[in-house]
Amino acid sequence: MTRTPFILALLACAFLSSASDAADYPNRDFRVITGVDGKPARSDDSYSYASGNYRCTNTSTRATPHVVRYPFNLPEGTSVRYVSVYGRRTSDATPVTLRLMQVCQSQTDVDSTSTVLATRTPLGNADGYFISSMEFSPSPETLDCRAWVEASFDISTMACNADKASIQRVTLETEPADRIFRGTFSVNVDYTLP
Amino acid sequence: MQTQLALTAALLGMCLAGTALAGPQPGDLRVTDPAQIRALGFDPATDEVFLAAPVDDRALLAARLARGDASPQAPNPDVDPIWTSVVGTDFRFNRETVPYTFVSNMSLTCSATGEGYSAYANIEFPNDHRITWMDVWAVDNSTTSGVRVSLWEICQRVDNPDPSLRTVTRISPIIDTGTADAPDAVWLNAHVGPDRWVHAPTCSYLLRADLDCANSAVRLQKVRVLWDYD
């Protein structure tokens, strides 16, 4: 009988932990890029912000898609587990394609090479909202490469409707190389050099 | 029996403390006026918008100086060890039609006429750290225009993109250079309150700058947000 409050507290604790959506992720870092931080690829990519989201607002069709990019940097040695894009695309809206991209250029080369690491066509729920996750393997090379997430709105046959095609945020789930000593010891800097 | 009750109370307290890591906090004001929600840049049909209660940061500033800061502008790394900064060029206006200039000192200006415009910049913090101070550097040489800066938090479930499940909170006071004042180069700061913890898995953070467009007379130069481990 006297254990009842304690058991109830344990159950309440489990409920609150799950309800708060505050799960613990061992050895994981999360970086969230708000939708409004998107960089449109062209000066005639029309956009607007609403509720922290990036919205495609091109009112005319054209052959070239409207592309918005979310570049990111990661510390050397950090592994990327998942890249998740949150957004909306209703069934009657402009088609959207998500890509994980990387461009690399060696230090002795003048040409760069872009690579599509992953591609997704987001599947929205009844209201068009989606979460689309992409795996990122191998992890980006920080020395010669730069990575980004991009959303491509195909406006070749249909103009954008601002309320129906948007990007809410991009989440990077990463794993640091060394949780304990990260940032503490310089492993790539030789202080003996002048 | 008393021991078990005490343990139960402590356990519940810890659980509730865990749930209060992010999102609106007790004392935050829920915005219910649809027009005000729209004016803040959100959708009254889906967004729950909250405004942080005003914080009297005079005691906090005194405590910070007492701990050894040379000045609020030059924080002692031993006191407030880490910060995240964005400069004017990190901001982007809320639509592509707003004419703007990034002048050579990396500040943001707005050259449109008429109404004011909003610019946004993403800002990132590591998980489970406490946001403390927001510092703003700006130039205001206009007696009719100014710039207002605020820090926002958008929390959303990891597993559900439905915006009606999000919460939006303006976690900082508005730092305002004033429209009638022309203070020239200014540094202003404000504390976001004692319990604003970063929860990176679910929350994103962005800075909003409302500029009265006055060309180079009003410029936003830099925003720095401090956070600590306490």
Side-chain angles (χ1 to χ4, degrees), chain A residues 2 5-6 9 13 16 21-22 30-32 34 37-39 46-49 51 53 86 129-131 168-169, chain B residues 4 8 15 41-43 47 92-96 120 122 124 156-158 160-161 163 166 200 202 204 206:
Chain A
T2 55
F6 195 69
C13 185
L16 288 170
D21 199 16
F30 287 84
R31 293 185 54 195
V32 182
T34 315
D37 202 44
K39 276 75 175 172
S46 301
Y47 68 91
S48 67
Y49 296 154
S51 302
N53 307 334
Y86 295 62
Y129 296 105
F130 64 81
I131 304 172
Q168 295 176 340
R169 68 177 187 176
Chain B
Q4 284 186 336
T8 303
C15 292
F42 296 93
D43 184 352
D47 293 323
R92 186 176 292 274
F93 279 102
N94 57 355
R95 49 191 181 277
E96 82 286 353
Y120 294 86
N122 192 64
E124 295 182 40
Q156 182 170 8
R157 290 178 61 107
V158 171
N160 196 324
R166 300 192 306 179
T202 55
S204 60
L206 59 102

Side-chain angles (χ1 to χ4, degrees), chain B residues 122-183:
Chain B
N122 192 64
I123 187 166
E124 295 182 40
F125 308 109
N127 187 42
D128 207 21
H129 291 74
R130 189 175 60 176
I131 304 170
T132 56
W133 294 89
M134 181 171 77
D135 302 327
V136 174
W137 286 260
V139 175
D140 183 352
N141 285 319
S142 170
T143 54
T144 56
S145 302
V147 57
R148 296 162 293 282
V149 181
S150 52
L151 176 63
W152 292 77
E153 176 190 68
I154 301 176
C155 296
Q156 182 170 8
R157 290 178 61 107
V158 171
D159 58 352
N160 196 324
D162 187 342
S164 65
L165 300 175
R166 300 192 306 179
T167 58
V168 178
T169 309
R170 190 183 72 202
I171 63 176
S172 78
I174 296 174
I175 290 184
D176 188 358
T177 66
T179 51
D181 305 321

Side-chain angles (χ1 to χ4, degrees), chain A residues 46-48 53-58 66 68 86-96 122 127-130 151-155 158-168:
Chain A
S46 301
Y47 68 91
S48 67
N53 307 334
Y54 180 99
R55 290 176 165 180
C56 171
T57 60
N58 280 87
H66 174 137
V68 58
Y86 295 62
R88 188 185 196 200
R89 190 254 159 183
T90 58
S91 57
D92 58 344
T94 309
V96 178
D127 293 320
Y129 296 105
F130 64 81
S152 177
F153 300 89
D154 179 2
I155 54 175
M158 185 189 304
C160 277
N161 183 315
D163 292 333
K164 297 180 177 179
S166 63
I167 301 297
Q168 295 176 340

Side-chain angles (χ1 to χ4, degrees), chain B residues 32-226:
Chain B
T32 55
D33 178 5
Q36 187 183 0
I37 292 174
R38 276 190 287 270
L40 291 168
F42 296 93
D43 184 352
T46 56
D47 293 323
E48 284 186 23
V49 180
F50 296 81
L51 304 178
V55 175
D56 184 350
D57 58 15
R58 289 172 295 182
L60 292 165
L61 184 59
R64 181 176 158 187
L65 292 172
R67 287 190 297 176
D69 272 7
S71 76
Q73 271 177 278
N76 182 343
D78 294 332
V79 177
D80 290 294
I82 305 180
W83 46 81
T84 304
S85 295
V86 299
V87 293
T89 48
D90 290 319
F91 284 81
R92 186 176 292 274
F93 279 102
N94 57 355
R95 49 191 181 277
E96 82 286 353
T97 52
V98 181
Y100 64 90
T101 305
F102 293 139
V103 297
S104 58
N105 61 359
M106 302 293 278
S107 63
L108 171 66
T109 72
C110 173
S111 51
T113 55
E115 61 181 296
Y117 295 93
S118 303
Y120 294 86
N122 192 64
I123 187 166
E124 295 182 40
F125 308 109
N127 187 42
D128 207 21
H129 291 74
R130 189 175 60 176
I131 304 170
T132 56
W133 294 89
M134 181 171 77
D135 302 327
V136 174
W137 286 260
V139 175
D140 183 352
N141 285 319
S142 170
T143 54
T144 56
S145 302
V147 57
R148 296 162 293 282
V149 181
S150 52
L151 176 63
W152 292 77
E153 176 190 68
I154 301 176
C155 296
Q156 182 170 8
R157 290 178 61 107
V158 171
D159 58 352
N160 196 324
D162 187 342
S164 65
L165 300 175
R166 300 192 306 179
T167 58
V168 178
T169 309
R170 190 183 72 202
I171 63 176
S172 78
I174 296 174
I175 290 184
D176 188 358
T177 66
T179 51
D181 305 321
D184 197 8
V186 289
W187 173 82
L188 303 166
N189 86 333
H191 200 283
V192 302
D195 288 307
R196 294 293 176 184
W197 292 85
V198 176
H199 196 227
T202 55
C203 301
S204 60
Y205 299 85
L206 59 102
L207 291 159
R208 170 174 170 157
D210 294 302
L211 278 97
D212 302 312
C213 296
N215 294 310
S216 61
V218 174
R219 309 196 292 271
L220 176 62
Q221 295 174 302
K222 186 172 83 166
V223 180
R224 179 180 67 190
V225 179
L226 275 59

Side-chain angles (χ1 to χ4, degrees), chain A residues 3 69 71 73 82 84 88 92 129 132 138 143 174:
Chain A
R3 293 177 183 168
R69 297 184 174 122
N73 290 313
Y82 297 101
S84 300
R88 188 185 196 200
D92 58 344
Y129 296 105
S132 190
L143 180 62
T174 66

Side-chain angles (χ1 to χ4, degrees), chain A residues 8-166:
Chain A
L8 288 175
L10 277 175
L11 290 173
C13 185
F15 171 75
L16 288 170
S17 296
S18 60
S20 70
D21 199 16
D24 291 325
Y25 299 87
N27 205 32
R28 288 283 196 277
D29 276 344
F30 287 84
R31 293 185 54 195
V32 182
I33 306 172
T34 315
V36 299
D37 202 44
K39 276 75 175 172
R42 297 159 57 104
S43 59
D44 56 356
D45 285 340
S46 301
Y47 68 91
S48 67
Y49 296 154
S51 302
N53 307 334
Y54 180 99
R55 290 176 165 180
C56 171
T57 60
N58 280 87
T59 55
S60 302
T61 59
R62 69 168 193 235
T64 308
H66 174 137
V67 176
V68 58
R69 297 184 174 122
Y70 297 88
F72 57 87
N73 290 313
L74 294 170
E76 178 67 33
T78 295
S79 305
V80 179
R81 292 305 177 205
Y82 297 101
V83 176
S84 300
V85 181
Y86 295 62
R88 188 185 196 200
R89 190 254 159 183
T90 58
S91 57
D92 58 344
T94 309
V96 178
T97 303
L98 305 173
R99 297 188 193 92
L100 200 52
M101 301 287 296
Q102 180 173 264
V103 61
C104 297
Q105 181 171 1
S106 74
Q107 297 165 93
T108 57
D109 202 348
V110 293
D111 295 322
S112 58
T113 303
S114 295
T115 308
V116 180
L117 300 173
T119 301
R120 292 287 184 278
T121 301
L123 298 174
N125 61 18
D127 293 320
Y129 296 105
F130 64 81
I131 304 172
S132 190
S133 294
M134 295 176 272
E135 289 188 73
F136 197 153
S137 182
S139 290
E141 297 175 40
T142 55
L143 180 62
D144 295 330
C145 302
R146 171 87 152 142
W148 71 91
V149 176
E150 69 179 32
S152 177
F153 300 89
D154 179 2
I155 54 175
S156 60
T157 59
M158 185 189 304
C160 277
N161 183 315
D163 292 333
K164 297 180 177 179
S166 63

